[in-house]
Amino acid sequence: MAELDLPLIWAGIIGVAVILYVILDGFDLGCGILFPLTREEHERDQMMNSVAPFWDGNETWLVLGGGGLWVAFPAAYSIIMPALYVPVLVMLLALIFRGVAFEFRWVAKPNHQLWDLAFWLGSTVAAFAQGLILGGLLHGIAMEQGRFSGGTFDWLSPFAIMCGFGVVAGYALLGATWLHMRVAGDLERRANEWAKPLLLALLGFILVVSIWTPLHVERIAALWFSWPNLLYLSPVPVLTLVLAALVWKGLDDKAAATPFLGSVGIFVLAFAGLAISNFPYLVPPSLTVWDAAAAPESQMFLLVGVLILLPVVLGYTVFVYYTFRGRIRPGEGYH
Amino acid sequence: MELDPLILARIQFAFTISFHIIFPAFTIGLSAWIATLLGMSLWTGNVRYKDLAQFWTKIFAVSFAMGVVSGIVLTYQFGTNWSEFSLAVGNVIGPLIGFEVLTAFFLEASFLGIMLFGRDRVSPAMHFTAAVLVAVGTAISAFWILSANSWMQFPAGHEVRDGIAYPVDWWQVIFSPTFGWRMVHMLTAAYITTGFVVLAVGARFWLKGKHLPEAETMMKMALGILVVLTPVQAVIGDFHGLNTLEHQPAKIAAMEAHWDGTHPAALVLFAIPDVVAEVNRFEIAIPKLGSLILTHDLNGTFPGLKQFAPEDRPPVLPVFISFRVMVGIGLLMILLSGLGAFAWWRGKLFRPNLLMQVFANTWPLGFIAVLAGWITTEIGRQPWVATGLMRTEDALSPVGAATVLTSLILFVLVYAVIFVSGGYYINRLLEKGPVRHVPKEPLRPTRPMAAAQDSGRIALSAGE
């Protein structure tokens, strides 16, 4: 049997789980972030209803990402989690509030104002904390002899805070374009208006990260700005701009799905860019996927499970999305 | 005072997992109950089952949401607070958690959407199938997490190199020696817990004279299952105890406050164990009964606490007390189920008597018993996090005490808000009761959702 590069395969699987999480929970967190932009209760109902059947499944990808990291790379998991203790904790607490808000808000009606607030704040803070986690990882984590050796607030930097705002803007864009595709009535038009400034904010954020990382990390500069890499990697920024133009045009044309799909594409490219910059490091700047790998027998055991079960999971995820297809009209819902 | 991060991290884990276990213990049974109701509705065509399924589905939705969000916390807490544990045993129990996500979490979360919101979008048969898949998902989830826990109780199928466990035989890892009885015991406990909630809600409705046909159906279905499961659970518990004696004798010694293993053990009904003098104070005990229960022989002996080095003994008092709470409630449950079934048989169940009043207040019994049982088995595992392999004190993350304390306070505050609100809303849903099914007018056939909602509103306003 040919030797499989299990750590590499697992890095790919976790990468897929993370990007699926970012896209799927991204649009439903985005709907939460946009919540205060309308004061109409029936529009808030529409926003929540458009994601209510999906959010739980979407969030499960976060568990697969975190759980997968532990299974496949316990050495990285046991360094990253203590290092990012505070933003991870904040994210979890925020997700608790917004998760229960989905149910509590309906049961509490007509006294649901506090759960509106919980849904908005929970979604926004969770997105912001995920940005902090991203920033903290890109910034690098101090380690000695395979253990986290830094302080509680090592992750805190202007760069991480900017990443926080960037992720909030990006999720809000996914949310706005999702609503543009999935709701009818006045809200559809307003989602269209929200999307353009958010697109510009996301592009600005991607630009800053693209400048900041090579400036601060020589390895990344050498990777992107050397010949012929420059040529091979040029599709990433070029395609991002093409997709941004498509999203913009789709919004102008009131095309239903193009803005959302284009935004998803931008997220995928941004993720690919980050992955290219940091590969093969799991914990920049010192721990690679091979250093952190679990025992091959452990990685192999779950890999078999993933190969059999992940297609099934994707299959019924598609079934659920298909079941709840179509636009949500004002006053329409599942409750 | 110097803060100890170990104690704080342990309190935090105990608090977050105790909060979490309440919801799975309820939703495992509740999803099975809803699937049963939907199945009965399909089979008999009786709308009462459908109305009841709708009513309990609302309660399920609120409980399940709390279970999901409190569960995500735990996946990450292994890393944030117990990174040394994650590193040492990740190779072995990490994949079990991975399989839990792949086989259970996605299944539950995806079909939950159809179960909660898909009533008018899929056929009744598909809706029933979704409920069955959610119920199966909750049971599969229990399978994997109990497999991981059982491995920590008594590790098997692994080898240790440089302080890190490596898998050797996956079959032995998954089906480690204490897993089988623990799994059966916990699943049965979950079904019993839900059974008493359904029974209590039925009794409440009946006493108030509201929703009488529904109340009678609920009470009969609950009693029917409880009268079978509660005595069966006692037998399962006995086997689980014998299994624990074989693999974790120190835990059994602590559960029974049994110090001297050279003589047959008494069954200690009450005592305050004194760990310094290694004796029980204020003991009330029945001679030799402990030996009869655990060795099935009046003169049998089993290890006492003195046979274990003091640093290898679990804390005696909490294990001893929580075990008695669990067993006491278990016996009470058998008694209540038996009395209820007897009254039903004599045609005297539906009377406004003391038994009915007691039934109306039995809903917390299962939850308390489940918590007490887990306190017994988890504290009973101490001082080990993975028995013989890693001590709890060695499992901690390199995180400061102040950080752990802050996060602990935040968890307590947030969970208090969530728990109080969730309890309040569940109670409100229960007060409202099931909504009678009103035949749908084909008002706007192009928009079935709106039509369904209208008829729901009519039914609601009619019910109030």
Side-chain angles (χ1 to χ4, degrees):
Chain A
M1 194 183 85
E3 275 297 307
L4 283 175
D5 194 340
L6 283 168
L8 195 65
I9 294 170
W10 265 103
I13 292 171
I14 291 170
V16 169
V18 170
I19 188 65
L20 274 171
Y21 170 74
V22 165
I23 292 164
L24 294 174
D25 214 26
F27 75 72
D28 70 48
L29 285 164
C31 289
I33 295 167
L34 297 169
F35 225 47
L37 291 186
T38 172
R39 300 219 160 268
E40 301 288 332
E41 184 180 341
H42 70 269
E43 290 190 347
R44 291 187 173 182
D45 290 356
Q46 262 180 299
M47 292 168 89
M48 213 174 208
N49 273 330
S50 78
V51 295
F54 314 119
W55 76 271
D56 201 344
N58 294 348
E59 218 155 80
T60 307
W61 292 97
L62 179 68
V63 184
L64 185 66
L69 187 66
W70 182 27
V71 178
F73 304 104
Y77 180 80
S78 68
I79 291 169
I80 293 172
M81 293 299 156
L84 300 173
Y85 192 102
V86 176
V88 167
L89 174 82
V90 170
M91 174 187 79
L92 294 173
L93 292 172
L95 287 177
I96 289 175
F97 272 112
R98 77 175 286 274
V100 297
F102 272 103
E103 295 304 329
F104 286 5
R105 183 173 175 275
W106 291 105
V107 189
K109 279 193 171 198
N111 301 309
H112 58 277
Q113 287 74 13
L114 271 178
W115 296 112
D116 276 8
L117 186 70
F119 189 58
W120 169 60
L121 266 181
S123 303
T124 309
V125 171
F128 192 80
Q130 288 174 10
L132 293 177
I133 291 169
L134 172 70
L137 264 179
L138 292 176
H139 212 274
I141 288 171
M143 55 177 273
E144 263 168 41
Q145 294 171 342
R147 304 286 192 277
F148 170 59
S149 61
T152 309
F153 292 98
D154 275 15
W155 50 272
L156 186 61
S157 65
F159 176 71
I161 290 172
M162 196 229 22
C163 287
F165 285 114
V167 170
V168 171
Y171 283 180
L173 173 68
L174 286 174
T177 52
W178 165 265
L179 290 172
H180 185 250
M181 178 170 72
R182 290 301 303 270
V183 300
D186 205 31
L187 186 60
E188 181 192 354
R189 184 185 56 75
R190 304 184 49 193
N192 190 307
E193 288 168 9
W194 298 334
K196 281 186 180 173
L198 292 168
L199 175 64
L200 294 178
L202 177 65
L203 290 176
F205 159 68
I206 292 174
L207 186 70
V208 173
V209 174
S210 309
I211 294 171
W212 185 91
T213 39
L215 277 182
H216 281 74
V217 186
E218 209 167 301
R219 165 177 57 81
I220 295 176
L223 181 84
W224 285 86
F225 301 126
S226 62
W227 195 260
N229 284 10
L230 193 60
L231 183 69
Y232 299 144
L233 297 175
S234 60
V236 177
V238 171
L239 271 177
T240 303
L241 287 173
V242 171
L243 283 173
L246 272 177
V247 172
W248 193 276
K249 186 168 180 307
L251 290 168
D252 281 342
D253 298 348
K254 311 270 185 291
T258 316
F260 179 70
L261 296 177
S263 305
V264 167
I266 295 174
F267 263 85
V268 172
L269 286 170
F271 186 77
L274 290 172
I276 291 167
S277 292
N278 290 289
F279 186 80
Y281 295 99
L282 264 180
V283 186
S286 30
L287 200 67
T288 69
V289 294
W290 297 285
D291 302 331
E297 50 270 41
S298 305
Q299 290 195 330
M300 193 65 202
F301 181 52
L302 194 62
L303 179 62
V304 174
V306 167
L307 291 179
I308 296 167
L309 294 164
L310 210 55
V312 179
V313 168
L314 288 170
Y316 58 66
T317 303
V318 169
F319 172 70
V320 171
Y321 275 81
Y322 177 76
T323 301
F324 296 99
R325 66 196 177 278
R327 289 181 185 271
I328 306 280
R329 282 161 217 293
E332 201 176 58
Y334 311 112
H335 281 266
Chain B
M1 195 185 84
E2 188 76 19
L3 286 170
D4 180 1
L6 175 65
I7 292 294
L8 292 168
R10 287 182 64 183
I11 294 173
Q12 181 170 325
F13 202 84
F15 176 75
T16 50
I17 204 161
S18 300
F19 180 91
H20 175 69
I21 190 70
I22 291 171
F23 300 103
F26 185 37
T27 52
I28 290 172
L30 197 50
S31 55
W33 159 244
I34 292 168
T36 309
L37 287 170
L38 287 173
M40 296 286 284
S41 153
L42 268 184
W43 193 35
T44 64
N46 187 339
V47 286
R48 188 188 301 166
Y49 293 115
K50 206 170 160 188
D51 294 344
L52 276 173
Q54 277 187 30
F55 166 64
W56 283 102
T57 300
K58 287 180 202 154
I59 290 153
F60 181 78
V62 175
S63 318
F64 196 83
M66 292 200 276
V68 167
V69 293
S70 60
I72 295 177
V73 170
L74 297 173
T75 322
Y76 282 82
Q77 211 169 82
F78 289 135
T80 50
N81 285 351
W82 304 101
S83 63
E84 292 297 317
F85 166 79
S86 307
L87 191 60
V89 303
N91 285 327
V92 181
I93 62 174
L96 307 186
I97 308 292
F99 272 103
E100 183 181 14
V101 180
L102 288 168
T103 57
F105 288 171
F106 278 115
L107 192 70
E108 296 171 69
S110 302
F111 285 97
L112 178 75
I114 292 179
M115 183 178 159
L116 298 188
F117 307 117
R119 209 168 56 238
D120 301 300
R121 294 225 169 192
V122 296
S123 68
M126 184 63 227
H127 192 226
F128 166 65
T129 308
V132 170
L133 287 173
V134 171
V136 169
T138 59
I140 296 175
S141 175
F143 173 94
W144 290 110
I145 199 67
L146 290 173
S147 171
N149 178 272
S150 299
W151 190 85
M152 290 160 66
Q153 300 283 350
F154 190 80
H158 69 289
E159 64 183 23
V160 178
R161 299 197 294 268
D162 299 327
I164 292 187
Y166 292 87
V168 176
D169 181 339
W170 283 111
W171 186 264
Q172 285 186 38
V173 169
I174 296 170
F175 296 96
S176 63
T178 67
F179 170 60
W181 289 115
R182 178 171 291 108
M183 172 79 191
V184 181
H185 195 47
M186 179 61 200
L187 265 193
T188 311
Y191 295 132
I192 291 175
T193 300
T194 307
F196 274 102
V197 174
V198 173
L199 180 71
V201 171
R204 279 175 183 226
F205 285 157
W206 196 88
L207 282 171
K208 283 185 188 161
K210 292 195 327 190
H211 319 294
L212 287 179
E214 288 87 355
E216 294 190 2
T217 304
M218 279 194 262
M219 288 191 68
K220 284 178 181 173
M221 285 178 79
L223 272 177
I225 195 116
L226 287 173
V227 76
V228 177
L229 285 187
T230 51
V232 166
Q233 180 74 322
V235 177
I236 295 169
D238 181 50
F239 279 107
H240 188 26
L242 295 180
N243 178 281
T244 308
L245 177 60
E246 189 181 342
H247 297 100
Q248 295 177 282
K251 184 193 282 186
I252 288 287
M255 280 157 67
E256 299 295 349
H258 179 49
W259 294 96
D260 181 1
T262 57
H263 293 90
L267 180 70
V268 183
L269 298 178
F270 179 83
I272 303 290
D274 181 337
V275 290
V276 180
E278 302 187 328
V279 290
N280 291 333
R281 309 279 179 203
F282 314 108
E283 184 179 275
I284 304 168
I286 303 169
K288 298 198 176 184
L289 192 56
S291 282
L292 182 69
I293 292 170
L294 278 156
T295 65
H296 295 188
D297 174 3
L298 275 175
N299 292 311
T301 56
F302 60 91
L305 283 162
K306 285 183 190 173
Q307 274 153 277
F308 302 93
E311 69 272 18
D312 290 342
R313 294 176 197 164
V316 185
L317 185 66
V319 176
F320 172 77
I321 290 179
S322 61
F323 179 63
R324 262 140 201 78
V325 170
M326 180 190 75
V327 172
I329 292 178
L331 295 174
L332 180 64
M333 286 170 155
I334 296 174
L335 177 72
L336 288 172
S337 312
L339 287 175
F342 184 73
W344 183 9
W345 177 53
R346 302 299 304 268
K348 291 179 181 168
L349 176 59
F350 297 104
R351 300 275 166 86
N353 53 16
L354 181 66
L355 188 62
M356 188 62 102
Q357 308 236 348
V358 172
F359 281 154
N361 292 294
T362 50
W363 65 269
L365 285 182
F367 297 105
I368 301 169
V370 165
L371 278 172
W374 276 105
I375 289 168
T376 305
T377 203
E378 292 297 278
I379 299 184
R381 190 191 60 223
Q382 304 300 328
W384 304 98
V385 65
T387 304
L389 216 144
M390 182 178 233
R391 284 174 188 267
T392 308
E393 64 198 32
D394 300 324
L396 200 62
S397 291
V399 174
T403 312
V404 185
L405 179 65
T406 312
S407 61
L408 173 61
I409 293 170
L410 285 171
F411 273 118
V412 171
L413 290 176
V414 168
Y415 281 20
V417 171
I418 300 296
F419 198 83
V420 170
S421 318
Y424 173 76
Y425 293 134
I426 288 178
N427 199 40
R428 218 164 84 160
L429 286 170
L430 289 175
E431 290 287 316
K432 215 179 250 175
V435 178
R436 290 272 166 80
H437 190 77
V438 175
K440 260 182 253 175
E441 298 279 335
L443 292 172
R444 277 164 287 181
T446 49
R447 289 174 49 201
M449 297 299 299
Q453 223 186 22
D454 288 345
S455 61
R457 279 212 196 88
I458 294 164
L460 255 178
S461 52
E464 279 171 1

